[in-house]
Amino acid sequence: MIEELEIILETTSKILQKHVNHSLRQNIVSENTDILNLWNEIEKNGLPKISVKEKFGGYEIPFFSILPLIKIVNNHGTPLPLSETILSNYILSESDINAPNGIVTFATNTKNLQIKNNMISGEILSVPYLNLTKNLLIVHEFNNVKKAILIDEINGEIIHKKNFLAEPRYDIKVENLNIAEMKPIKNNIDFNFLGAILRSAQMIGAMEKVVDLSINYCSERKQFGRTLSKFQAIQHQISEMAVELSASSAALLTITELGLGEKNSNDTAILKIRAGFAAGKIIAISHQVHGAIGFTKEYELSYFTRNLNSWRNDFGNESFWEEFLGKRFLEKNNKNLWEYLT
Amino acid sequence: MSKFNFPFIKETNELSNLRKEVREFITTCINNNEITQSPDAWVFSADPSFSKKLGSKGWLGMSFPKEYGGHQRTALERYVVTEELLSSGAPVAAHWIADRQSGSQILRYGNEKQKSSIIPRITAGECFFAIGMSEPDSGSDLASVKTKATKTKNGWKLEGRKIWSTGAHLAHYMIVLARTSPASEKNRHEGLSQFLVDLSLPNVKITGIPDMTGQRHFNETLFDNVELSDDSLLGEEGKGWKQVVGELALERSGPERFLSHFTLLDSFINEFRNSLIHSGTKIVGKLISEIQTLRRMSFSVASMLQNGESPETQAAFVKELGNKFEKMMIETLREFSNIVPLHEWPNQLQNLFEDATLRIPSNSLRGGTTEIMKGIIARQLGLR
C-alpha cells in the first residue's frame, strides 16, 4: 500500500505541475475549460475516491495515510476542492453511501436544520466551491444520532458570500430540499475532528510553498546592493517561519502515523493549534519579506496566504482547540500534568 | 521547505515501563527526603550522592557500550530517563554534562586509554564534566577562541581562559576547545582541537561567578601554562571545529530545553486547578499543545542520534522552540495573576515563579543563543 501511495503522490505532482498555474486560480468557474480538464485528469486517476471502500470503486487507502496527498495538492495551490471531495467521499463511504462521481463539497456549518419526509430545510453555511458542483455533504445530529446527508441537486436561495479569503464560499437557505441519501455515521467518524485535520494538512502544504516562495524571492531581490537573503534581519525572520512550520509538520506526522482514536484526539487539537498558530506567523512574515509585490493579485503569494487565513478559522480556531484540550485535562482528570502528558 | 522532518517515533511498552520505574524511584527519593526538587536543576542543583545512585541504577551512560561499563541501551531509553528526571526537578547537575555530551564525545573521538579510564566512572556517576567552549572574548563567535595549546616535548602546554563553565568547581574534567595552529585566511574553523583536561592539574584555577539570582554554578577557569600529557588530545588535531559542532547537537536537542521549569507549571496547576477550570482552560490547553509538540520533536531527534545521524539543524529547531515555549509559559502564568493575585499564591509557588522569572533570560543564551540558532537554520535554508 505504501508503494501504491508513493506512485499516486508522484503522479499527482506531475498532473498538478502540468495544469496548475496562477491564472487558473483567478478564474475558478465551471465555464473555465481548463478547470474542467484538470478535474477530469484528477478523476481519471481515481484521486477523489482514494479513501473510498473498494466495493464503492475506491482505493480504500485509510484517510490518515493520504494526508501527504492533501499536502501536495495544496502545496501546488490547486484551485479545486479535491481535499474537500476526498474527505466527503471518505465519510460517505464509511457511512455505507456510494459516493457520487464528480466534485463533492461539504457544509462547514449549519443553522436551524430540520428534516421531514426525506427533505431538508434550514441554513447551510460556508460551503466551499458550490459554484462547481451540485453534490453536497452535510453532517448533522438529529435526536442524538449523527447522520451523513448527501444532496445531489441544490435549489434554494444561494448567497455568494463576499468572503475576503481565497476560495469561493456560499451560504444556502433551503426549504424541503430532496435528500439523495441519509445514513447514520459510525461512532469513530467525527466530522469536526476530520475537518480540523484536513484543514491542517492543507495549511502545512500551503505553508511549505509560502516559505519556499519567500526563500526564492529573498535570494533574488536586491536592495542596498545585495540580495535580501544576505541581511541578517531577513534570515532570522525566514528561520522563524521554518521553525513554526517544522513544529506543525511534526504534529501532522503524529496523526498520519497514529490515526484518530479516542485516545489520540488530543493530537488533533494539538495539530490544529500548532498549524493555526504557525499560519498566523507565516502569513505575517512572508508578506513582510516580500514587500509590496506580495500584496498584489498577480503574484502568487496572496493565493496561499488568503487560503491560510480561511482554513485557520475552519473547524475551530486555536482558541477553540486550546479550550478543548485544557478542559479535557482539567475536568476529566485528577492526574497531575506530567502523568497526563506521558 | 520539507527537508527538516521529525519522523514520528512511538513510545513502546518497554519504554513506558522504564518510565514508570524511574518515576517510582524518584518519588521514593522525594518521600524519604533524600533529594530536593528545584527548577533549572540540571544547571545548578548538584548532588553527587544522587548521581551515584542513578549510576548504580544503570541510568547514566545508558547508551554507552558494555565494555566501558555502559548499558548498551538506546538513546530513546536515555531520553525517557532524562524526561523523568527533569520533570521532577531532581538534582542532576553534577553528572548532567558528562552524561549528555562529554561521555559520547570521548567514545566517539577518544583513544583507548581515555575511554577505559573515564567512561566507566561517568557511568557509575563518579566523574563529572564541565564544558570548555566560551571565553571572555568568545561567546557566540566560538571560532575566535584564543586559548592555545602548544606542542611540547612530552605533550601540550595549555594557556588561556574559559568562562561560564557551569559546574567546573565540582567537575573532574573539562573538554577544552583550543587553538593548536593559527586560523587560515580562508577558513577560521581550521586549527582548532579539543583537549581532555584533568581539572585537578597544577596551574588550573577555578573561580566562581555568582549568577544574577545569587546561585553559584558559573565559573571562570584559568589555564596558566598547564602541562598536558600527550594523550590529552581528544580526537584529531585540527579537527576541533567539526567535533565541537557534533557535541553541540547533543547539547541542544534534549528535553532540558523545554522542561527546565516544569516543576513550576506542575505546582501551579495543582494549586489552581479549580480556578483554571473556570478561567484558564485556554492557557492550559495552549501549554499542553506546546509541550507535547516539543516532546514529540525532541524524541524524534533522540532516534536520529540513535541511528547515527547528525541532527545539528533539527537540534537547533528544538532548542529555539523550547526556549520560546519556556518564556511564553512564564509570561502566561504571570498574566494569570490577574485572576489570583500573586501575593495570594502560596509562598513556595511564589518563590518558584520568581526564581523562574529571574532565570529565564539565560535559557536562550546557554547552549547557543537564539541568534545563533536562527543563523544555523538560515544556512541550511540556503540563505547564507
Side-chain angles (χ1 to χ4, degrees):
Chain A
M1 193 191 72
I2 290 171
E3 222 170 90
E4 194 182 0
L5 186 61
E6 293 277 310
I7 295 168
I8 292 171
L9 295 181
E10 211 172 292
T11 317
T12 308
S13 281
K14 278 188 194 147
I15 295 172
L16 298 177
Q17 218 143 30
K18 189 173 146 210
H19 287 269
V20 177
N21 54 53
H22 194 49
S23 70
L24 189 69
R25 298 179 189 130
Q26 302 192 35
N27 193 17
I28 311 174
V29 292
S30 54
E31 294 79 25
N32 183 346
T33 50
D34 290 340
I35 287 274
L36 290 179
N37 288 342
L38 173 55
W39 181 261
N40 290 338
E41 192 78 9
I42 286 170
E43 198 150 54
K44 206 172 77 194
N45 284 279
L47 301 180
K49 295 192 180 176
I50 189 165
S51 290
V52 163
K53 287 179 183 158
E54 276 180 17
K55 67 171 179 181
F56 292 130
Y59 281 111
E60 208 167 331
I61 302 178
F63 177 71
F64 302 107
S65 306
I66 61 95
L67 293 170
L69 174 70
I70 303 287
K71 251 175 61 175
I72 287 180
V73 168
N74 294 282
N75 186 263
H76 281 86
T78 311
L80 278 170
L82 176 57
S83 311
E84 283 86 346
T85 304
I86 288 174
L87 177 58
S88 301
N89 286 346
Y90 168 68
I91 293 176
L92 288 169
S93 158
E94 289 296 301
S95 312
D96 236 13
I97 297 175
N98 192 354
N101 291 327
I103 292 170
V104 185
T105 184
F106 53 58
T108 45
N109 277 302
T110 55
K111 215 157 110 188
N112 307 322
L113 272 200
Q114 281 178 351
I115 291 181
K116 225 162 68 187
N117 304 330
N118 209 37
M119 288 189 285
I120 191 165
S121 306
E123 290 174 57
I124 304 163
L125 303 173
S126 205
V127 183
Y129 294 97
L130 195 65
N131 56 335
L132 298 184
T133 183
K134 297 281 180 196
N135 300 322
L136 168 67
L137 167 73
I138 302 167
V139 176
H140 198 72
E141 197 175 310
F142 297 99
N143 306 325
N144 294 326
V145 184
K146 268 194 291 178
K147 291 195 168 158
I149 303 163
L150 176 67
I151 311 277
D152 61 7
E153 190 61 53
I154 295 159
N155 32 58
E157 188 190 341
I158 300 181
I159 305 155
H160 185 191
K161 293 182 77 171
K162 170 77 179 149
N163 191 11
F164 290 104
L165 310 170
E167 81 251 310
R169 292 247 177 154
Y170 298 86
D171 289 346
I172 325 160
K173 212 170 184 174
V174 295
E175 233 182 282
N176 296 328
L177 183 66
N178 277 329
I179 291 172
E181 293 257 20
M182 177 166 70
K183 285 193 176 155
I185 277 185
K186 278 195 206 152
N187 276 339
N188 64 345
I189 300 281
D190 187 311
F191 184 52
N192 207 40
F193 278 78
L194 294 174
I197 293 169
L198 182 82
R199 288 299 191 230
S200 301
Q202 291 183 272
M203 282 196 268
I204 290 164
M207 287 192 280
E208 285 181 356
K209 175 75 175 185
V210 169
V211 174
D212 282 339
L213 283 173
S214 304
I215 292 171
N216 294 341
Y217 180 76
C218 292
S219 303
E220 281 164 17
R221 170 80 170 166
K222 273 188 185 166
Q223 289 289 279
F224 305 103
R226 37 182 184 154
T227 61
L228 295 183
S229 61
K230 296 294 164 212
F231 290 88
Q232 201 175 40
I234 299 284
Q235 290 171 0
H236 286 189
Q237 291 198 71
I238 293 179
S239 296
E240 201 176 331
M241 288 202 264
V243 167
E244 294 303 333
L245 175 55
S246 73
S248 313
S249 304
L252 180 66
L253 275 183
T254 308
I255 298 277
T256 314
E257 295 293 327
L258 290 184
L260 173 69
E262 164 62 20
K263 244 174 87 188
N264 304 325
S265 51
N266 279 359
D267 294 329
T268 305
I270 291 170
L271 171 61
K272 191 69 170 44
I273 293 166
R274 255 280 141 225
F277 179 76
K281 288 261 175 197
I282 287 177
I283 292 165
I285 297 175
S286 64
H287 277 290
Q288 188 63 29
V289 301
H290 269 90
I293 191 74
F295 197 61
T296 63
K297 205 174 176 180
E298 67 169 290
Y299 184 75
E300 62 177 341
L301 176 67
S302 61
Y303 177 80
F304 292 91
T305 53
R306 290 177 67 155
N307 268 329
L308 286 173
N309 271 315
S310 166
W311 297 332
R312 62 199 290 247
N313 295 335
D314 283 340
F315 301 102
N317 63 9
E318 295 92 284
S319 294
F320 172 87
W321 288 107
E322 281 161 11
E323 287 202 2
F324 168 90
L325 206 53
K327 240 192 206 132
R328 213 156 183 243
F329 162 65
L330 290 166
E331 280 177 359
K332 292 186 186 161
N333 229 288
N334 286 318
K335 286 182 184 168
N336 63 38
L337 181 60
W338 186 247
E339 268 178 85
Y340 182 73
L341 294 178
T342 53
Chain B
M1 206 332 268
S2 51
K3 57 179 173 177
F4 304 114
N5 269 325
F6 290 83
F8 175 77
I9 310 294
K10 199 170 159 49
E11 182 167 316
T12 59
N13 284 340
E14 287 78 26
L15 290 173
S16 301
N17 290 339
L18 173 62
R19 187 183 283 289
K20 222 175 116 200
E21 196 190 332
V22 179
R23 191 173 300 175
E24 277 165 12
F25 170 75
I26 299 171
T27 310
T28 310
C29 291
I30 294 169
N31 291 343
N32 296 343
N33 288 322
E34 290 168 28
I35 57 171
T36 49
Q37 298 169 275
S38 40
D40 243 358
W42 63 277
V43 177
F44 71 87
S45 182
D47 180 346
S49 69
F50 182 65
S51 294
K52 208 165 171 176
K53 269 185 210 154
L54 291 177
S56 62
K57 278 281 185 186
W59 293 333
L60 296 183
M62 286 181 77
S63 57
F64 299 171
K66 284 207 166 115
E67 52 175 316
Y68 300 112
H71 306 283
Q72 252 159 312
R73 299 179 82 165
T74 64
L76 298 179
E77 289 176 296
R78 178 181 179 270
Y79 179 89
V80 163
V81 172
T82 53
E83 262 200 352
E84 289 302 317
L85 290 166
L86 290 162
S87 64
S88 62
V92 292
H95 68 262
W96 196 257
I97 291 163
D99 177 65
R100 177 179 70 187
Q101 61 196 82
S102 316
S104 304
Q105 198 72 356
I106 292 168
L107 280 167
R108 187 157 175 201
Y109 297 109
N111 59 37
E112 193 48 42
K113 191 181 158 203
Q114 290 167 332
K115 287 193 236 181
S116 58
S117 67
I118 293 175
I119 300 295
R121 289 163 58 211
I122 292 180
T123 309
E126 291 168 355
C127 180
F128 310 137
F129 272 71
I131 297 172
M133 297 188 198
S134 292
E135 294 181 7
D137 290 330
S138 303
S140 285
D141 183 10
L142 186 57
S144 73
V145 292
K146 289 195 194 98
T147 295
K148 208 168 73 182
T150 329
K151 201 121 201 171
T152 62
K153 217 165 58 185
N154 304 318
W156 300 85
K157 192 178 70 186
L158 186 66
E159 193 185 354
R161 225 178 258 274
K162 292 290 173 184
I163 201 168
W164 318 132
S165 17
T166 287
H169 57 304
L170 302 167
H172 304 92
Y173 290 93
M174 178 184 283
I175 294 181
V176 173
L177 182 70
R179 235 183 218 288
T180 40
S181 61
S184 81
E185 259 178 41
K186 271 201 220 135
N187 189 355
R188 323 191 289 136
H189 298 155
E190 278 176 15
L192 293 165
S193 305
Q194 284 193 311
F195 290 89
L196 188 57
V197 180
D198 182 342
L199 293 175
S200 66
L201 287 174
N203 300 335
V204 177
K205 198 179 156 211
I206 297 169
T207 319
I209 306 172
D211 75 10
M212 67 185 255
T213 72
Q215 288 278 359
R216 160 96 190 259
H217 57 92
F218 276 157
N219 293 285
E220 182 173 49
T221 310
L222 173 70
F223 302 100
D224 185 9
N225 290 316
V226 178
E227 298 281 344
L228 299 179
S229 63
D230 204 25
D231 59 10
S232 299
L233 179 70
L234 179 65
E236 217 179 309
E237 184 183 341
K239 293 282 189 280
W241 185 258
K242 190 179 157 263
Q243 291 177 203
V244 92
V245 167
E247 189 180 340
L248 285 165
L250 299 171
E251 187 175 338
R252 286 172 179 156
S253 63
E256 64 267 50
R257 302 302 169 189
F258 51 92
L259 293 179
S260 289
H261 294 282
F262 190 83
T263 45
L264 165 63
L265 182 58
D266 201 34
S267 319
F268 172 84
I269 287 175
N270 287 338
E271 180 64 34
F272 295 124
R273 189 177 276 266
N274 289 333
S275 325
L276 286 166
I277 287 174
H278 293 114
S279 45
T281 47
K282 186 173 138 50
I283 62 172
V284 172
K286 169 86 181 158
L287 295 169
I288 289 177
S289 77
E290 287 291 313
I291 299 176
Q292 290 301 64
T293 306
L294 279 158
R295 292 185 60 224
R296 157 82 183 72
M297 294 172 84
S298 184
F299 197 49
S300 189
V301 178
S303 98
M304 294 175 205
L305 291 169
Q306 174 69 28
N307 299 337
E309 298 165 37
S310 315
E312 284 110 19
T313 314
Q314 282 88 344
F317 276 98
V318 172
K319 182 170 187 299
E320 176 55 15
L321 272 169
N323 291 164
K324 276 211 290 205
F325 158 72
E326 286 193 324
K327 288 187 204 291
M328 181 273 279
M329 175 185 102
I330 288 172
E331 200 55 22
T332 304
L333 302 198
R334 189 184 68 86
E335 282 180 23
F336 178 81
S337 63
N338 169 41
I339 312 284
V340 182
L342 202 51
H343 63 265
E344 286 174 22
W345 295 19
N347 263 336
Q348 200 208 349
L349 190 59
Q350 269 186 57
N351 289 342
L352 271 176
F353 172 75
E354 286 175 5
D355 197 35
T357 306
L358 275 186
R359 293 185 170 282
I360 207 66
S362 75
N363 86 343
S364 49
L365 306 174
R366 59 195 185 203
T369 65
T370 304
E371 289 70 23
I372 292 292
M373 295 307 111
K374 287 184 172 171
I376 289 172
I377 295 165
R379 173 169 289 125
Q380 293 304 318
L381 294 174
L383 295 169
R384 306 175 52 195

